[in-house]
């Protein structure tokens, strides 16, 4: 009986132990997994700015453009950009003998005057009809009525005394008489060197279209070629681009240009130009003036004002009137009007290489009583020449 009880007790204990194990295994919770290691966080790259590379540059070998093999064709040659140098100052050619060098430019005038007269004078019989033809030739060449009558009268007398007339004798005769009309004893030097002061002051006047501003620029080249220093006054403030044009001429020879506002007071510009010339110690001040139609009273009043204002500094040494030689008698009308306003001291004849007649030199001098001092014989920068009567007449009548 005791054995049975013991077996029952052992069985109960075993069953209880097994039951506890089962219940314990059901109630036991699984342990949480260990936390993962902290990851390496890389900050996002900053947004690129203007001029930044799209990605971080890597250290790797680089090749120049010469080392890269291009598909086909010769290798690319990288050329250095050309170096732009500032334009240098030009050195004009000497003025001595310039008219002689430009004699060919007078060929058309030579045909109208010199050759025509020599042909008529070479006729075997010089009757009244021939002398009338000679008069007509001189008048057509713009010599003028009074000078023509004087020349024909002297030629008639000398031909009558001469008797036989060889071509050489006729040429010498005509040369002498033309030189008498033009004048060989007249002072034709442009006055730019006053004895008691500096600078010399030259005012250039004339109608627009005669080449006035261009002549002023060319005159600056003539003076620089003769060793003078120059200041330019752009007092033509009414014509568009006149100041720019004059300044360009000045820059080519190293001459300083004084200018004012467009449509400004011309007298003020002229005054400042002379003032600058004095302060800079230059030899000559050239003043380019306005040149609207000579029939407008306003222009003449302005020219008179410019002259008066400039003379507050010093007297004008030269007043040069620029005339277009191709205008003939109309040019003489212009000359008379300008001479009434300002005291003309010299004449510049432009375009004498074109269809102009050489006799205009005689006519304009007789009309104004002042000498032709400069002549323009082309469009080139150095085609303005001091007037030399002998060289001029020789060019007219040929060799």
């Amino acid at each position: 009986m005791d054995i049975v009880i013991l077996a029952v007790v052992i069985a109960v204990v075993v069953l209880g132990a097994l039951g506890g194990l089962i219940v314990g295994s059901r109630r036991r919770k699984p342990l949480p997994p260990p936390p993962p290691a902290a990851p390496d966080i890389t900050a996002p790259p900053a947004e690129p700015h203007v001029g930044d590379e799209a990605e971080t540059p890597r250290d790797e070998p680089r090749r120049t453009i010469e080392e890269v093999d291009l598909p086909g064709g010769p290798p690319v040659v990288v050329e250095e950009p050309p170096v732009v140098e500032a334009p240098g100052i030009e050195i004009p050619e000497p003025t001595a003998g310039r008219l002689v060098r430009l004699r060919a430019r007078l060929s058309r005038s030579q045909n109208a005057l010199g050759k025509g007269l020599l042909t008529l004078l070479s006729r075997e019989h010089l009757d009244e009809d021939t002398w009338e033809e000679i008069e007509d030739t001189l008048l057509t060449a713009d010599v003028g009525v009074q000078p023509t009558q004087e020349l024909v009268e002297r030629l008639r007398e000398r031909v009558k005394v001469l008797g036989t007339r060889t071509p050489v004798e006729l040429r010498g005769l005509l040369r002498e008489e033309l030189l008498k009309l033009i004048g060989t004893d007249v002072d034709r030097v442009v006055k730019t060197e006053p004895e008691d002061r500096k600078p010399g002051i030259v005012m250039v006047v004339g109608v627009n279209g005669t080449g006035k501003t261009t002549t002023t620029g060319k005159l600056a080249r003539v003076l620089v070629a003769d060793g003078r220093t120059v200041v330019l006054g752009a007092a033509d403030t009414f014509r568009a681009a006149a100041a720019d044009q004059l300044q360009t001429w000045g820059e080519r020879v190293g001459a300083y240009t004084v200018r004012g506002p467009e449509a400004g007071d011309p007298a003020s510009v002229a005054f400042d130009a002379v003032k600058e010339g004095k302060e800079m110690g230059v030899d000559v001040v050239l003043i380019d003036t306005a040149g609207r139609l000579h029939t407008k009273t306003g222009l003449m009043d302005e020219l008179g004002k410019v002259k008066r204002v400039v003379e507050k500094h010093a007297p004008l040494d030269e007043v040069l009137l620029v005339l277009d030689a191709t205008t003939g008698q109309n040019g003489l009308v212009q000359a008379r009007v300008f001479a009434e306003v300002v005291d003309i001291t010299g004449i510049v004849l432009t375009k004498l290489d074109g269809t102009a007649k050489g006799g205009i030199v005689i006519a304009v001098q007789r009309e104004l009583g002042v000498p032709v001092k400069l002549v323009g014989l082309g469009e080139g920068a150095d085609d303005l020449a001091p007037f030399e009567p002998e060289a001029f007449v020789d060019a007219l009548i040929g060799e």
Side-chain angles (χ1 to χ4, degrees), residues 83-152:
V83 179
V84 180
E85 297 182 359
I89 295 176
E90 299 177 12
I91 301 176
E93 64 177 83
T95 58
R98 184 180 287 184
L99 186 58
V100 176
R101 297 194 296 273
L102 297 172
R103 280 178 57 177
R105 307 284 176 84
L106 294 169
S107 58
R108 295 186 182 180
S109 297
Q110 174 183 325
N111 291 333
L113 180 58
K115 286 186 176 181
L117 289 177
L118 286 173
T119 300
L120 292 170
L121 290 171
S122 299
R123 289 181 180 178
E124 186 176 353
H125 299 289
L126 296 177
D127 54 16
E128 288 300 319
D129 291 339
T130 302
W131 287 112
E132 287 183 7
E133 287 185 54
I134 292 173
E135 275 194 27
D136 290 342
T137 300
L138 290 168
L139 291 172
T140 304
D142 288 335
V143 173
V145 176
Q146 187 65 32
T148 293
Q149 292 175 348
E150 294 176 11
L151 180 58
V152 169

Side-chain angles (χ1 to χ4, degrees), residues 39 63 136 199 239 304 334:
R63 293 184 294 172
D136 290 342
R239 184 169 65 87
Q334 297 173 9

Side-chain angles (χ1 to χ4, degrees), residues 165-185:
R165 305 178 304 279
T166 66
V168 174
E169 289 172 331
L170 284 174
R171 184 185 181 281
L173 174 64
L174 185 57
R175 184 179 188 275
E176 289 178 16
E177 294 302 330
L178 287 174
L179 284 175
K180 285 181 184 178
L181 278 181
I182 293 175
T184 56
D185 56 350

